[in-house]
Amino acid sequence: MSALEGKNILVGISGGIAAYKTPTLIRFLIKKGARVKVVATKNALEFVTTLTLQTLSDNKVYTDMFGEWNDTSTKHISLSEWADCFVVAPATANIIGKYANGIADDVLSTTLLAFKKTVFLCPAMNSVMYFNKSVQRNLNILRQDGIQIIDSEEGFLACGTSGKGRMEEPEIIVDKVEKFFAQNLDFSNRVITITAGPTRERIDSVRFISNNSSGRMGVVIAEEFINRGANVNLILGPVSIDIPKNDRLNIVGVESAEDMYKQTLRYAQNSSIIVCAAAVADYTSKDKYKGKMKKKIDVLQLDLVPTKDILKELGKKKTYSQILVGFALEMDNELENAKQKLHSKNLDFIILNSLRDKGAGFEVETNKVTIIDKNDTIKEFPLKSKKEVARDIVDLIKEYI
Ligand code: CTP
C-alpha cells in the first residue's frame, strides 16, 4: 500500500516551462491513490492547459481569485483545509519570493499563505536566477520556516544552457512526498472500530424515532485513522454524507441501536482501538407495529424501553490492550457529566462537546472539544474543522499508546 493512498494533495503550478512536467506529476500522484486538486497561476496556464489539468486531476482547476470561485469567497481557506499537503511544482523565483515575504496577490500565493500543513516547493528556473542572492535568501527563509524544498537538479535548461535550476523529476517528487507520509503511517496494522451516525428506532413500518447526527465526526475520525495506515470497521447508522471508498474501510450499515450493539460488539473483539461517536437512541419503542399505524385517538401513547448502552458494554469487556474512546454531548455541568461517563463506562478518553458552544455538535462542519483522559487530565481545544478535530483526537491516542 502506498502512503499516498487516500491523501488529498493540492498541486500548485506557477509560470515556468517546467509546468509541462506537472501533468505527469499529477498522474503519478493519482496512480498512487491520492486525490488531487490544482491551483495554477495565469502564467502557468500559458505552459499547460486547464483542460489537461482538469482531466488528469478529475477536478476543477483554481486559477482566479474571484471569477470562478463563486461557490464560496473563502475557497482558499477550504482548499487549505481539504488538503493534507501542498506541492508547488514548478515554483518560480516569483512565487518563492512572494511566499518568503508573505505576499498574497493571486490565487496560488493566497492559498499558500492560508495553508497550515506541509508545503513542498520544487524550484525551477534558469541557473543564473537560481543562484541570485535574493532567490537563495528567499529559499533559506522558507527552509527556516519549515517549508520542504525539493531542490532543483543540475541539467539541461530550457534556455539552452546547462546548470542547476531544472525542476526535479516528477517520479522523485512523488517519492519524496510519499516518504514524508510513510513516516506518518503510525497506525498501520491496527484494527479500529468506530460507531457513527444516528440510529433509527422503528415505531411502525414507516415511522421511526431518530436524531440529527450527520455521522460526519465519526467518519472523519475513520478517515484520519485510514490515512495513518489503520484498518477501520465503521459501524454506521443511516446517514446521507459521502464517504470515500477505501480498501481498508469496512462500512457496516446498521439501523437500530440493537443492530449497532450487535455489530459493534462483534467487530470490537478484534480491535485495539474503539471509538464510539454514534448518537445512539437511549430508548426504543416497546412495540413495533407491522404496517402503518392508523390514526385513531387524540393521544397516542408510546411505550419506550431503554436500549443497551454499547459503550458501557464495551467498557465491561475491555481487554488490557484495548483503548476505548467515547463522546459526551452535554448541556449543563459539562465537565462533571463527562467525567462521570468516562469512569462509569471504563473509558480511556472522553471527548466532550458542549451544546452551549457555537459551531459544535450536530449538523455543522466544525467542532469544539474538550478531551479528558482516564486520569482526569483535561485538554481544551479551540473551534476547528471536524477534520482537524479528528487529527487532534488521533494524535492524542497516539501519544497515549
Ligand atoms: N452510547 C452508546 N450506546 C448507547 C448510548 C450512548 O454507545 N445506547 C455512547 C455514545 O456513542 C457516546 C457515549 O455513549 O460515545 C455518551 O453518549 P451520550 O448520549 O452523551 O450519553 P448517555 O450515556 O446516553 O447519557 P445521557 O444521554 O443521559 O447524557
Side-chain angles (χ1 to χ4, degrees):
M1 170 220 157
S2 164
L4 287 170
E5 205 184 292
K7 290 284 179 292
N8 292 340
I9 299 185
L10 207 49
V11 172
I13 316 178
S14 55
I17 179 65
Y20 84 91
K21 293 184 189 171
T22 316
T24 312
L25 172 72
I26 296 170
R27 188 88 195 88
F28 287 157
L29 289 169
I30 286 185
K31 263 189 161 170
K32 298 247 174 194
R35 288 181 283 264
V36 173
K37 287 189 183 177
V38 176
V39 179
T41 63
K42 288 213 168 97
N43 288 345
L45 297 177
E46 298 288 330
F47 297 95
V48 59
T49 72
T50 310
L51 186 62
T52 307
L53 300 169
Q54 207 162 285
T55 310
L56 288 176
S57 67
D58 200 19
N59 266 310
K60 180 173 155 182
V61 175
Y62 298 91
T63 50
D64 199 314
M65 229 7 234
F66 305 103
E68 333 142 30
W69 295 62
N70 49 12
D71 35 349
T72 149
S73 59
T74 54
K75 195 75 190 174
H76 57 295
I77 308 290
S78 56
L79 272 179
S80 304
E81 277 182 359
W82 171 85
D84 297 305
C85 84
F86 200 163
V87 183
V88 184
T92 58
N94 186 42
I95 192 73
I96 291 170
K98 284 195 221 172
Y99 192 27
N101 293 287
I103 297 167
D105 62 354
D106 64 5
V107 67
L108 179 55
S109 49
T110 308
T111 311
L112 269 171
L113 289 200
F115 198 73
K116 287 190 278 185
K117 287 159 245 170
T118 303
V119 176
F120 295 90
L121 284 188
C122 310
M125 66 202 79
N126 158 282
S127 56
V128 180
M129 286 173 81
Y130 179 84
F131 286 113
N132 183 293
K133 278 188 187 160
S134 70
V135 173
Q136 286 303 313
R137 191 167 51 239
N138 287 333
L139 282 171
N140 279 334
I141 292 175
L142 292 169
R143 277 194 193 96
Q144 280 162 22
D145 288 347
I147 307 303
Q148 310 280 321
I149 310 288
I150 301 183
D151 212 356
S152 309
E153 24 156 26
E154 300 259 348
F156 183 69
L157 297 164
C159 53
T161 58
S162 194
K164 201 166 161 80
R166 249 169 83 107
M167 186 175 91
E168 186 53 279
E169 291 305 322
E171 292 95 315
I172 298 184
I173 298 174
V174 171
D175 198 48
K176 294 204 166 160
V177 177
E178 191 176 14
K179 286 213 172 91
F180 165 79
F181 281 115
Q183 290 164 6
N184 292 334
L185 283 180
D186 45 2
F187 285 88
S188 50
N189 303 323
R190 280 190 181 267
V191 178
I192 291 158
T193 292
I194 299 173
T195 71
T199 63
R200 278 182 188 170
E201 308 307 319
R202 291 268 160 206
I203 297 168
D204 64 14
S205 304
V206 292
R207 300 180 181 97
F208 54 80
I209 302 170
S210 191
N211 58 62
N212 284 335
S213 167
S214 65
R216 178 117 182 90
M217 195 64 240
V219 168
V220 288
I221 295 174
E223 282 177 344
E224 179 68 18
F225 274 122
I226 286 169
N227 286 342
R228 290 163 74 160
N231 287 292
V232 174
N233 301 306
L234 181 64
I235 319 296
L236 187 63
V239 294
S240 54
I241 52 170
D242 278 342
I243 304 170
K245 286 201 169 48
N246 191 292
D247 289 346
R248 284 176 293 106
L249 176 63
N250 171 31
I251 301 178
V252 183
V254 294
E255 187 177 271
S256 65
E258 182 63 25
D259 296 341
M260 191 173 268
Y261 174 85
K262 283 189 192 137
Q263 295 296 350
T264 310
L265 263 73
R266 176 173 161 219
Y267 284 99
Q269 279 176 36
N270 299 323
S271 301
S272 58
I273 301 166
I274 306 154
V275 180
C276 288
V280 189
D282 288 328
Y283 290 91
T284 189
S285 177
K286 189 173 162 212
D287 305 303
K288 284 155 182 101
Y289 291 84
K290 287 229 162 70
K292 184 179 170 231
M293 237 175 1
K294 275 312 237 185
K295 181 168 63 180
K296 278 189 215 135
I297 46 172
D298 290 344
V299 178
L300 172 69
Q301 193 156 343
L302 269 182
D303 287 333
L304 299 177
V305 289
T307 56
K308 290 175 189 143
D309 191 320
I310 306 168
L311 191 56
K312 192 161 193 165
E313 199 55 36
L314 292 168
K316 282 187 202 156
K317 292 187 164 25
K318 193 169 85 170
T319 62
Y320 176 70
S321 58
Q322 268 178 339
I323 296 173
L324 189 56
V325 182
F327 274 76
L329 183 62
E330 304 293 341
M331 276 292 293
D332 308 299
N333 295 328
E334 290 104 327
L335 272 178
E336 282 322 302
N337 286 339
K339 278 188 192 170
Q340 196 273 330
K341 283 179 192 168
L342 170 78
H343 298 297
S344 68
K345 299 192 188 194
N346 191 23
L347 312 182
D348 297 281
F349 291 102
I350 193 145
I351 299 150
L352 165 65
N353 294 133
S354 169
L355 277 171
R356 288 165 184 258
D357 287 325
K358 246 183 123 208
F362 287 169
E363 288 184 315
V364 283
E365 284 298 309
T366 50
N367 205 355
K368 185 174 182 311
V369 299
T370 300
I371 306 181
I372 313 164
D373 72 16
K374 67 176 182 195
N375 303 316
D376 285 339
T377 310
I378 300 171
K379 257 196 169 168
E380 272 186 57
F381 294 83
L383 186 72
K384 294 183 177 194
S385 70
K386 285 192 172 165
K387 212 172 149 88
E388 287 172 294
V389 172
R391 196 165 293 146
D392 288 339
I393 294 169
V394 174
D395 281 347
L396 215 62
I397 295 174
K398 177 69 198 170
E399 234 174 75
Y400 183 74
I401 293 171

